[in-house]
């Protein structure tokens, strides 16, 4: 059992009332024990038993999750290694938090197919199953790579890249002093170094804070559907979700409260919010709904403004355009299967530079164009999440945590008067950790940086 | 045509820095060795800067010494100045550099070769290898002599299809107008080797008597006597200084106005030059906002007035070189003795080598030095000694010695070359070593003497001195870890000299961990029972002070080792492994890594490919189907 202990969420994302985080490896029990509080430490429990308790965040000592933990010692396990399974409440936030705690306590995030791979390498699975493992690894990696690619274009990636560039310049500067001590490159002083590192540390801290508050994109880009009653808002939600989640009727004012759904539109995670149609109303319940809709509007990252093709533009519609001014908006003209009563030219004028998409949700027309438009907006960076960061999963958070820690090590080493080449070890490590987030750790780039930043040679 | 001449265990072709180490190592390991070179007057010739060592490179020199090589001892005998660099930084990046007396360096090295048992030094040009069924069995010279050998090492440097270029003048030549080696290059291509065209250059040399040193800054050597070799006991105290001056506006304008006359920009040069050795015209174009560039004036020896103008490497036409020199303060009336030039040459693509430096294409054939795409005397010598060791071991039917990345800069160098290849002349940098904290110049003996001894390069007397030193270090560290220092008045008086104090009793070792506390200070608080030599004290201090970082590095090394221990069968068929990405298949097929660790360092191979490879290898083990 020479391997590091690995961990991963082993239940499908977002499905089911209970989710499981699984650890495998020689330190599985030890790591779980760092977090677990129950009637006795897991170290002392029998193999193949399950225990009720809580996870405590070791950094804050706060109660984190209510859990059931099963302990299975190798070799009578799937991987033939010690396995711990932490059962927690289903739902993205809970399970991500558990995974994050486990990763922070010393487990490494499992690569795609890694549990199965270990099972195989430890002789648990026979030859005929091996081919399957390979397909698994390949398939999952390709998908992971797609996600990575998407994120490459995303906001987090550009933030991280900027930080890495800053670090690389700093490291190159340190390196040039080391490899070319007699050249007239400015000497990197402790003060200069401290300042540069503090800046990066501050930025990482900032990203982490937003991540902590849970306002992160793993919850989706906050997307609000607005429009007058009966224009087809709930229908729109249903077609994007590909299910009938919201009640659709021909009675205006059907949706009385805010309905939320998580969907993934062409790689863009959305927290889709259907609202009560905004109108002046006497109905108290409906009015509360309308109020909430207005509130939601303010917090949104993206607005889907729905109009009725079969109806003239009203004062309320124009009010809506005003209310979403300065936000990212896609205008949807629905019910094109019916007679044209809407002044499209006027709508385009009001929409200004925002895209206008025509749909007939009844006939399932125009949804493709809408999805296309959403993903374009996102990947071209037109939509700015108000939270600024797209920290999309626990792996990223864990890596960011580690980066912050190594950077803190570097800073305290400077303070302790350690020579700059020792400090550099931690800076380089930070750079690598950040690189793992965006899948780029090629070390040749340091040397490239060195020779483009400084003029060297005989 | 040809005639049968003698037969040997090992033949070394070339007597540059790679060749001399290879020949000496082979002979010292007991192999009957022949060394053939174009001209016996240019043994260990330095075609460029008269200096040895510096960051990373200086550590290689010490590694060569610890393995029983010659470069360190030779430069200790023949330098005109020595300096320790990076003294203000940590121990991992400190490095020695010497200015060499060029001609003296050569003659001393030649003498060592001549005196070496088992070694025959012979002038001659090798034009062909004798290869039967992919196995090299000897060489043939221009004069038709055929020499037989169990292993052959090529170290032909920058001579293969060498071409010198300055301005619009260009002609076939080896470095410094020596004759080039043309047929051998074509012969290697016929044997199936992939070759690349690289380029390098050198600055003009000037006469000392025509320099006005009053306009320059003096750069003296260290006062403290220094040496590369762990065995050197006699030090040169009479040193010569170097001098520092700068280019200026006038220099830059002159060059900018005449860029059209540079072969760099006219397209005459096809070879790839190294980024770290740009010519002055290159520097001025690429960094045009830099107002001045440093120029170091370095004497080429004690018995010559020739001075090397470091910083002015150029391939501009000769008339322009004269004018450029005169724009530099101190050189207004300078007499140029040799013009600078660029040289293009063929090198073999180094991914065609095994980590032993034996070629994959031809068995029993080894290559080392600039021929393998590197640049620099130390890089050449480091490969030379390994090629010499492994060629001799090959002739003796022994397994090759391969240094890994955590053992030596030489290991980093060779692993980089054979695993990643290089698209420009390769130079060692400390930043290429991921474990550089472990690869220090002060501990090269601790890292490698054991290996040197095991393979017969280090003799018993030296080895016993080494083990005594090692034991003393361990003993003293143990002692300091157990001795407790109390916060008495006397103690605090001593410590106040070092700008610190003691409030509570502490282990001596913990005190040393404070940045301001040296071994020197501790010695006053708790002297050892026996004399602790300076090099032992240095080790004790470094090993205690940086223990945290050293431990971290060692943990990383452990991880790498696990990967390196997983061997890949030599006959593996990457094309038949489904699931491997195409790029990975191709790269792995080309490099044919020996271990999973090496495979993971091949560029274009990602972690998923490595996982798949692992599964396949395990599968092969279980079912014996490795194809
Ligand atoms: C103009 C120039 C500038 C350079 N500048 C730099 C620099 O700035 N920095 C740096 O680090 N390095 C520089 N170098 C490189 C450095 O000089 C070399 O890396 C180093 O000398 C290589 O050593 P070597 O043993 O591989 O080859 P060499 O020292 O070139 O030795 C080759 C040997 O092979 C022999 N030989 C060649 N062909 C045959 C044959 N067919 N038969 C028999 N013998 C043969 C030659 O006689 C010679 O002894 C420069 C080299 C040149 C020429
Ligand atoms: N003809 C036609 N009818 C549609 C279309 N889209 C939705 N409808 C119908 O319009 C009616 C209202 O749809 P909903 O989706 O409930 O509208 P809403 O905007 O959510 O309405 P409230 O919740 O009441 O504000 C339903 O009867 C839908 O079937 C369309 O493209 N064409
Ligand atoms: Mg509705």
């Amino acid at each position: 059992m020479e391997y590091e202990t690995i961990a991963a969420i082993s239940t499908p994302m977002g499905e089911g009332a209970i989710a499981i985080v699984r650890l495998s490896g020689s330190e599985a029990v030890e790591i779980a024990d760092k977090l677990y509080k129950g009637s006795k430490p897991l170290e002392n429990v029998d193999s193949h038993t399950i225990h009720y308790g809580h996870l405590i965040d070791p950094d804050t000592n706060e109660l984190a999750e209510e859990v059931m933990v099963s302990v299975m010692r190798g070799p009578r396990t799937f991987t033939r290694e010690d396995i711990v399974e932490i059962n927690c409440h289903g739902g993205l936030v809970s399970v991500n938090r558990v995974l994050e705690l486990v990763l922070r306590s010393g487990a490494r995030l499992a690569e795609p197919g890694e549990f199965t791979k270990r099972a195989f390498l430890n002789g648990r699975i026979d030859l005929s199953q091996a081919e399957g493992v390979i397909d698994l690894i390949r398939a999952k990696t390709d998908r992971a790579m797609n996600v990575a690619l998407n994120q490459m274009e995303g906001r987090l990636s550009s933030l991280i890249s900027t930080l890495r560039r800053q670090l690389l310049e700093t490291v190159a500067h340190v390196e040039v002093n080391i490899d070319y001590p007699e050249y007239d490159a400015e000497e990197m002083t402790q003060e200069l170094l401290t300042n540069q590192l503090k800046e990066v540390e501050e930025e990482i801290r900032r990203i982490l804070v937003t991540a902590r508050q849970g306002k992160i994109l793993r919850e989706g880009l906050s997307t609000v559907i607005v429009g007058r009653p009966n224009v087809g808002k709930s229908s729109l939600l249903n077609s994007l979700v590909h299910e009938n989640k919201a009640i659709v009727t021909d009675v205006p004012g059907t949706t009385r409260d805010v309905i939320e759904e998580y969907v993934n539109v062409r790689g863009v995670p959305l927290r889709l919010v259907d609202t009560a149609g905004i109108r002046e109303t006497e109905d108290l319940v409906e009015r509360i709904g309308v109020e909430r809709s207005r509130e939601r509007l303010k917090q949104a990252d993206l607005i889907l403004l729905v109009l009725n093709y079969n109806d003239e533009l009203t004062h309320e519609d124009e009010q809506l355009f005003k209310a979403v001014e300065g936000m990212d908006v896609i205008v949807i003209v629905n019910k094109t299967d019916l007679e044209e009563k809407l002044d499209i030219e006027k709508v385009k004028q009001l929409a200004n530079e925002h895209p206008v998409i025509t749909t007939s949700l009844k006939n399932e027309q125009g949804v493709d164009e809408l999805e296309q438009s959403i993903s374009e907006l996102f990947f071209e960076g037109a939509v700015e999440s108000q939270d600024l960061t797209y920290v999309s999963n626990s792996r990223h958070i864990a890596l960011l945590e580690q980066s912050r820690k190594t950077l803190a090590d570097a800073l305290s080493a400077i303070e302790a008067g350690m020579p700059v080449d020792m400090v550099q070890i931690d800076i380089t490590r930070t750079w690598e950790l950040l690189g793992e987030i965006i899948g780029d750790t090629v070390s040749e780039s340091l040397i490239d940086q060195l020779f483009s930043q400084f003029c060297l040679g005989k | 045509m040809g005639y049968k001449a003698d037969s040997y265990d090992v033949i070394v072709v070339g007597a540059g820095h790679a060749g001399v180490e290879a020949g000496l190592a082979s002979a010292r390991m007991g192999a009957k060795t022949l060394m053939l070179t174009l001209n016996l007057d240019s043994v260990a010739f330095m075609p460029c800067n008269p200096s040895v060592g510096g960051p990373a490179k200086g550590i290689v020199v010490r590694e060569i010494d610890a393995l029983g090589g010659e470069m360190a001892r030779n430069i200790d005998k023949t330098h005109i100045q020595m300096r320790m660099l990076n003294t203000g930084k940590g121990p991992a990046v400190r490095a020695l550099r010497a200015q060499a007396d060029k001609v003296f360096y050569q003659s001393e090295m030649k003498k060592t070769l001549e005196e070496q048992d088992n070694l025959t030094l012979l002038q001659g040009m090798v034009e062909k290898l004798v290869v039967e069924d992919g196995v090299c069995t000897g060489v043939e010279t221009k004069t038709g002599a055929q020499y037989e050998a169990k292993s052959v090492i090529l170290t032909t440097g920058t001579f293969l299809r060498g071409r010198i270029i300055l301005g619009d003048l260009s002609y076939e030549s080896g470095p410094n107008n020596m004759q080039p080696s043309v047929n051998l290059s074509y012969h290697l291509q016929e044997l199936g080797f992939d070759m690349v065209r690289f380029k390098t250059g050198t600055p003009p040399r000037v006469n000392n008597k025509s320099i006005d040193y009053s306009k320059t800054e003096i750069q003296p050597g260290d006062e403290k006597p220094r040496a590369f070799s762990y065995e050197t006991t006699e030090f040169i105290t009479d040193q010569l200084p170097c001098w520092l001056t700068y280019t200026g506006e006038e220099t830059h304008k002159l060059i900018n106005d005449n860029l059209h006359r540079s072969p760099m920009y006219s397209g005459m040069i096809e070879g790839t030059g190294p980024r770290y050795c740009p010519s002055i015209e290159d520097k001025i174009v690429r960094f045009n906002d830099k107002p001045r560039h440093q120029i170091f004036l370095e004497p080429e020896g004690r018995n010559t007035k020739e001075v090397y103008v470091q910083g002015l490497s150029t391939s501009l036409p000769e008339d322009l070189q004269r004018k450029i020199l005169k724009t530099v303060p101190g050189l207004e009336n300078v007499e140029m003795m040799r013009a600078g030039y660029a040289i293009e040459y063929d090198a073999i693509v180094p991914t065609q080598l095994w980590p032993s430096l034996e070629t994959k294409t031809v068995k029993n054939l080894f290559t080392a030095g600039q021929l393998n795409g590197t640049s620099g005397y130390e890089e050449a010598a480091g490969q030379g000694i390994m090629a010499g060791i492994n060629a001799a071991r090959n002739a003796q039917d022994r397994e090759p010695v391969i240094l890994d990345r955590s053992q030596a800069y030489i290991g980093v160098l060779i692993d980089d070359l054979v695993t990643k290849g290089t698209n420009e002349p390769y130079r060692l940098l400390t930043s290429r070593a991921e474990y550089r904290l472990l690869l220090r110049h002060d501990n090269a003996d601790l890292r490698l003497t054991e290996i040197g001894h095991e393979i017969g390069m280090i003799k018993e007397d030296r080895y016993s001195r080494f083990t005594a030193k090692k034991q003393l270090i361990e003993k003293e560290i143990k002692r300091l870890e157990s001795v407790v220092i109390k916060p008495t008045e006397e103690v605090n008086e001593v410590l106040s000299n070092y700008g610190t104090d003691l409030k509570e009793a502490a282990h001596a070792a913990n005190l040393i961990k404070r940045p301001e506390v040296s071994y020197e200070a501790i010695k006053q608080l708790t002297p050892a029972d026996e004399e602790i030599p300076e090099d032992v004290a240095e080790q004790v201090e470094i090993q205690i002070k940086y223990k945290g970082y050293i431990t971290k590095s060692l943990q990383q090394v452990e991880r790498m080792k696990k990967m390196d221990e997983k061997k890949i069968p030599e006959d593996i068929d990457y094309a038949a492994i489904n699931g491997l990405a195409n790029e990975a298949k191709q790269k792995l097929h080309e490099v044919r890594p020996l271990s999973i660790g090496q495979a993971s360092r091949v560029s274009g191979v990602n972690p998923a490919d490595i996982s798949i490879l692992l599964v396949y290898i395990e599968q092969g083990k279980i079912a014996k189907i490795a194809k």
Side-chain angles (χ1 to χ4, degrees):
Chain A
M1 293 212 215
E2 53 186 274
Y3 300 104
E4 296 164 89
T5 296
I6 51 170
I9 298 171
S10 67
T11 38
M13 276 295 205
E15 290 168 27
I18 299 283
I20 298 176
V21 171
R22 179 191 284 160
L23 289 93
S24 176
S26 52
E27 287 171 23
V29 178
E30 194 187 321
I31 290 169
D33 253 340
K34 287 187 199 161
L35 306 166
Y36 174 79
K37 223 181 175 72
S39 59
K40 60 178 168 182
L42 300 170
E43 190 192 12
N44 301 335
V45 306
D46 290 337
S47 187
H48 294 77
T49 55
I50 187 158
H51 306 271
Y52 173 81
H54 291 89
L55 296 193
I56 311 287
D57 185 333
D59 286 355
T60 59
N61 272 326
E62 273 168 32
L63 206 71
E65 292 294 331
E66 187 183 22
V67 292
M68 300 280 290
V69 180
S70 48
V71 174
M72 290 159 279
R73 292 201 167 76
R76 272 180 49 229
T77 64
F78 176 55
T79 55
R80 298 221 158 153
E81 302 172 330
D82 288 354
I83 285 188
V84 170
E85 288 186 350
I86 303 175
N87 299 256
C88 61
H89 294 284
L92 285 172
V93 179
S94 276
V95 66
N96 265 323
R97 179 131 114 177
V98 172
L99 180 59
E100 210 178 295
L101 284 171
V102 166
L103 296 180
R104 260 200 276 151
S105 304
R108 167 171 75 64
L109 190 79
E111 285 157 26
E114 198 172 3
F115 286 103
T116 322
K117 189 176 96 194
R118 285 193 179 191
F120 172 73
L121 293 180
N122 291 328
R124 179 74 167 65
I125 306 182
D126 69 18
L127 196 61
S128 61
Q129 287 166 283
E131 293 281 337
V133 179
I134 288 166
D135 290 344
L136 194 74
I137 296 170
R138 184 84 271 165
K140 288 208 178 168
T141 317
D142 286 347
R143 209 182 319 150
M145 266 169 55
N146 281 335
V147 172
L149 256 183
N150 288 345
Q151 273 162 352
M152 280 297 286
E153 289 158 21
R155 181 79 183 230
L156 175 66
S157 162
S158 84
L159 267 179
I160 300 279
S161 298
T162 310
L163 292 182
R164 292 186 85 225
R165 204 157 39 239
Q166 258 167 283
L167 286 176
L168 197 62
E169 275 172 27
T170 306
V171 174
H173 197 154
V174 171
E175 295 295 328
V176 82
N177 290 159
I178 292 170
D179 269 319
Y180 294 87
E182 285 159 321
Y183 279 81
D184 48 358
E186 185 192 357
E187 192 67 29
M188 176 61 99
T189 61
Q190 308 231 311
E191 198 189 336
L192 210 57
L193 196 56
T194 307
N195 289 343
Q196 294 184 0
L197 296 187
K198 282 225 163 110
E199 243 173 66
V200 176
E201 197 200 20
E202 190 43 49
E203 187 63 27
I204 294 180
R205 205 186 286 275
R206 223 177 54 78
I207 300 176
L208 272 168
V209 165
T210 42
R212 282 267 159 278
Q213 289 167 347
K215 282 181 174 183
I216 37 178
L217 201 73
R218 64 176 179 202
E219 295 196 345
L221 197 69
S222 165
T223 307
V224 177
I225 307 175
V226 294
R228 280 190 295 123
N230 217 26
V231 293
K233 298 184 295 297
S234 299
S235 308
L236 178 61
L237 177 124
N238 288 343
S239 19
L240 285 173
V241 178
H242 300 295
E243 265 179 76
N244 292 328
K245 293 274 179 166
I247 301 164
V248 173
T249 69
D250 52 7
V251 182
T254 304
T255 307
R256 294 294 183 94
D257 202 350
V258 172
I259 292 178
E260 291 192 21
E261 270 307 319
Y262 293 89
V263 287
N264 192 311
V265 173
R266 305 201 177 175
V268 186
L270 299 187
R271 190 171 76 238
L272 207 51
V273 180
D274 180 18
T275 61
I278 293 180
R279 66 168 175 179
E280 298 306 322
T281 170
E282 296 305 309
D283 184 322
L284 188 63
V285 182
E286 195 184 345
R287 218 157 87 188
I288 292 171
V290 170
E291 260 330 292
R292 291 205 184 151
S293 306
R294 289 216 161 99
E295 243 163 62
R296 277 301 179 137
L297 213 63
K298 286 187 222 145
Q299 301 160 9
D301 296 320
L302 173 63
I303 306 289
L304 303 179
L305 196 162
V306 189
L307 301 170
N308 188 348
Y309 187 72
N310 187 229
D311 205 349
E312 276 166 37
L313 211 61
T314 67
H315 174 67
E316 279 159 342
D317 287 328
E318 292 190 37
Q319 286 290 110
L320 265 178
F321 271 105
K322 245 192 210 118
V324 300
E325 214 164 89
M327 305 181 76
D328 283 299
V329 182
I330 298 175
V331 178
I332 294 139
V333 177
N334 186 33
K335 307 199 187 183
T336 51
D337 51 294
L338 302 177
E339 187 193 335
E340 171 168 359
K341 290 191 182 153
L342 192 72
D343 179 354
I344 287 280
E345 279 317 303
K346 181 90 193 286
V347 170
K348 284 194 173 149
Q349 229 175 338
L350 284 168
N352 205 354
E353 81 277 24
H354 299 308
V356 178
I357 310 276
T358 52
T359 61
S360 165
L361 295 172
K362 188 177 155 207
N363 297 341
E364 293 173 8
Q365 275 168 6
V367 181
D368 266 358
E369 284 82 351
L370 176 60
E371 290 188 351
Q372 182 63 27
S373 175
I374 291 172
S375 94
E376 272 169 18
L377 265 181
F378 182 84
F379 288 119
E380 280 161 15
V383 178
E384 300 233 353
S385 165
Q386 291 191 336
D387 306 314
L388 286 171
T389 42
Y390 294 164
V391 180
S392 58
N393 63 37
S394 327
R395 190 180 78 94
H396 294 167
I397 295 181
L399 286 167
L400 280 165
E401 284 281 3
Q402 284 176 39
S403 312
R404 196 177 52 125
K405 226 184 122 254
T406 48
L407 212 50
D409 286 351
L411 281 163
S412 55
I414 298 176
E415 207 156 312
M418 278 289 168
V420 71
D421 48 295
M422 300 284 170
V423 177
Q424 174 274 341
I425 296 176
D426 284 320
I427 308 177
T428 305
R429 182 74 195 128
T430 312
W431 180 80
E432 284 169 0
L433 285 167
L434 290 175
E436 281 177 37
I437 296 178
I438 55 174
D440 174 15
T441 49
V442 193
S443 61
E444 193 63 20
S445 38
L446 170 60
I447 287 159
D448 292 341
Q449 180 70 30
L450 200 66
F451 294 116
S452 61
Q453 195 172 335
F454 297 97
C455 178
L456 307 162
K458 53 174 188 174
Chain B
M1 284 198 316
Y3 71 95
K4 288 249 184 282
D6 303 329
S7 96
Y8 293 86
D9 292 327
V10 174
I11 295 173
V12 179
V13 181
H17 304 281
V20 297
E21 294 295 346
L24 287 169
S26 163
R28 285 169 182 167
M29 297 207 10
K32 189 181 167 204
T33 306
L34 171 68
M35 213 162 144
L36 277 159
T37 189
L38 294 178
N39 189 329
L40 281 183
D41 297 330
S42 59
V43 166
F45 176 66
M46 298 185 181
C48 201
N49 53 331
S51 90
V52 167
K57 290 164 171 266
I59 302 178
V60 170
V61 180
R62 288 217 155 158
E63 291 173 352
I64 292 170
D65 184 59
L67 288 169
E70 202 55 33
M71 186 173 237
R73 268 185 288 201
N74 204 56
I75 187 68
D76 284 351
K77 286 186 276 185
T78 60
H79 63 275
I80 59 169
Q81 161 184 128
M82 236 191 245
R83 288 181 69 184
M84 183 70 82
L85 305 174
N86 286 335
T87 46
K89 304 189 181 86
V93 297
R94 265 169 232 156
L96 259 186
R97 197 193 51 216
Q99 294 300 131
D101 183 321
K102 247 178 181 173
V103 173
F104 192 24
Y105 186 91
Q106 287 184 255
S107 63
E108 277 300 308
M109 189 62 92
K110 181 159 174 255
K111 191 166 92 192
T112 304
L113 292 169
E114 289 161 350
E115 287 170 357
Q116 178 64 47
D117 290 341
N118 290 330
L119 186 67
T120 304
L121 191 55
L122 181 65
Q123 185 163 301
M125 177 185 267
V126 171
E127 300 228 297
K128 258 197 213 151
L129 300 172
V130 184
V131 177
E132 291 157 20
D133 297 331
V135 180
C136 182
T137 58
V139 303
E140 189 178 319
T141 65
K142 193 171 185 169
T143 54
Q146 289 174 359
Y147 299 91
E148 247 182 27
K150 294 175 186 149
S151 310
V152 172
I153 311 173
L154 290 181
T155 67
T156 51
T158 47
F159 286 74
L160 293 193
R161 284 210 308 132
R163 170 172 289 272
I164 280 184
I165 301 155
L166 67 164
D168 48 14
L169 176 65
S170 133
Y171 54 93
E172 279 193 358
S173 171
N176 199 33
N177 290 335
M178 294 191 263
Q179 61 177 325
S181 204
V182 178
N183 291 343
L184 186 57
S185 182
Y186 289 123
H187 179 65
L188 286 173
Q189 290 174 42
E190 275 162 27
L191 287 173
F193 283 98
D194 274 342
M195 312 289 281
V196 281
R197 195 105 176 119
F198 280 164
K199 178 211 102 171
T200 185
T202 194
R205 316 294 199 269
V206 297
N207 192 316
N208 178 57
K209 70 180 184 212
S210 61
I211 299 174
D212 178 0
Y213 286 111
S214 68
K215 295 185 177 160
T216 66
E217 298 160 35
I218 190 162
Q219 305 269 302
D222 286 353
E223 260 166 48
K224 189 179 151 99
R226 311 234 185 233
F228 275 100
S229 172
Y230 290 95
E231 290 286 282
T232 294
T233 47
E234 280 174 38
F235 301 89
I236 293 173
T237 47
D238 165 30
Q239 302 188 59
L240 296 182
C242 295
W243 306 84
L244 172 62
T245 178
Y246 294 92
T247 62
E249 226 173 278
E250 208 190 325
T251 325
H252 297 196
K253 183 168 171 0
L254 186 59
I255 292 173
N256 271 321
D257 289 348
N258 287 284
L259 276 180
H260 59 280
R261 299 189 61 198
S262 156
M264 283 297 295
Y265 297 93
S266 71
M268 187 140 95
I269 291 185
E270 43 176 302
T272 312
R275 281 170 299 175
Y276 45 81
C277 279
S279 58
I280 184 69
E281 50 271 28
D282 228 9
K283 289 193 232 178
I284 283 168
V285 170
R286 282 180 49 213
F287 294 90
N288 60 5
D289 52 341
K290 209 171 170 206
R292 60 178 199 177
H293 295 274
Q294 291 166 310
I295 303 289
F296 290 93
L297 302 171
E298 308 176 1
E300 295 227 328
R302 291 177 200 274
N303 277 323
T304 175
K305 293 243 172 268
E306 251 186 283
V307 172
Y308 175 89
V309 186
Q310 202 230 86
L312 267 193
S313 176
T314 182
S315 54
L316 289 167
E318 193 180 85
D319 62 303
L320 208 51
Q321 292 192 25
R322 286 174 197 278
K323 287 188 195 140
I324 292 168
L325 281 170
K326 297 197 166 162
T327 62
V328 175
L331 304 185
E332 292 85 350
N333 298 307
V334 89
E335 239 173 61
M336 187 170 84
M337 293 180 72
R338 302 181 205 222
Y341 59 88
I343 184 167
E344 280 188 345
Y345 56 95
D346 290 344
I348 73 168
V349 174
T351 48
Q352 297 170 101
L353 304 174
W354 298 114
S356 62
L357 296 180
E358 187 181 10
T359 72
K360 294 169 188 166
T361 317
V362 178
K363 233 176 111 43
N364 296 348
L365 177 66
F366 296 73
T367 59
Q370 190 124 0
L371 172 63
N372 286 348
T374 61
S375 171
Y377 314 137
E378 304 80 356
E379 285 86 345
Q383 292 169 67
I385 190 169
M386 294 317 294
I389 290 170
N390 287 331
R393 287 178 73 85
N394 181 55
Q396 296 159 351
D397 280 327
R398 296 215 183 96
E399 287 293 301
V401 174
I402 293 164
L403 301 177
D404 73 40
R405 302 182 70 90
S406 69
Q407 281 175 311
Y409 269 95
I410 298 177
V412 173
L413 164 71
I414 294 176
D415 184 65
D416 276 351
L417 285 177
V418 305
T419 308
K420 298 187 181 135
T422 181
N423 46 25
E424 67 182 328
Y426 178 102
R427 177 204 207 269
L428 263 179
L429 296 163
T430 68
S431 43
R432 295 199 197 264
E434 52 278 66
Y435 315 114
R436 82 174 164 203
L437 182 53
L438 304 178
L439 304 183
R440 305 187 306 270
H441 89 117
D442 60 81
N443 71 354
D445 58 340
L446 295 170
R447 290 184 273 126
L448 300 171
T449 309
E450 206 74 60
I451 297 174
H453 177 249
E454 214 177 284
I455 60 176
M457 293 279 289
I458 299 286
K459 297 285 167 283
E460 288 311 319
D461 53 336
R462 176 169 179 180
Y463 184 62
S464 60
R465 279 194 295 279
F466 163 75
T467 40
K469 171 182 172 184
K470 199 172 151 190
Q471 279 159 11
L472 190 54
I473 295 168
E474 282 160 13
K475 191 171 149 199
E476 181 62 359
I477 291 178
K478 264 226 178 80
R479 185 181 77 86
L480 295 181
E481 279 171 348
S482 61
V483 168
V484 175
I485 310 270
K486 299 209 176 73
T488 62
E489 226 165 86
E490 298 81 55
V491 164
N492 272 317
E493 202 179 306
V494 172
L495 287 178
S496 72
N497 295 331
Y498 295 88
T500 184
D501 64 347
L502 190 63
K503 296 207 172 65
E504 282 166 41
H507 285 295
N510 280 338
L511 258 179
I512 290 198
K513 285 189 179 154
R514 298 188 185 176
E516 56 277 14
V517 179
S518 58
Y519 182 83
E520 214 28 55
I522 291 296
K523 205 164 89 181
Q524 298 169 49
L525 303 176
T526 164
D529 303 335
E530 59 209 300
E531 166 72 12
I532 300 291
E534 204 182 323
D535 56 340
V536 172
E538 183 185 20
Q539 277 313 306
V540 170
E541 181 174 330
I542 291 173
Q543 289 189 24
I544 295 178
K545 220 187 226 351
Y546 303 109
K547 191 172 177 188
Y549 284 99
I550 292 175
T551 311
K552 252 195 234 175
S553 289
L554 285 172
Q555 284 165 352
Q556 282 176 9
V557 170
E558 274 317 300
R559 259 173 262 154
M560 174 201 73
K561 286 240 163 95
K562 268 181 205 155
M563 298 273 279
D564 277 352
E565 274 160 20
K566 290 205 194 317
K567 299 293 173 213
I568 300 177
E570 245 185 66
D571 54 354
I572 193 165
D573 179 5
Y574 291 106
I577 298 182
N578 70 44
L580 277 186
N582 280 336
E583 188 187 359
K585 278 186 190 173
Q586 194 192 327
K587 282 288 176 58
L588 288 168
H589 177 71
E590 190 183 310
V591 174
R592 283 191 270 163
L594 298 178
S595 68
I596 289 288
Q598 196 192 348
S600 70
R601 293 188 291 273
V602 174
S603 49
V605 174
N606 67 36
D609 298 316
I610 293 297
S611 295
I612 288 167
L613 203 54
L614 260 175
V615 170
Y616 255 84
I617 288 167
E618 292 298 320
Q619 189 179 6
K621 232 191 242 165
I622 298 166
K624 300 251 176 293
I625 58 153
K627 297 151 207 171

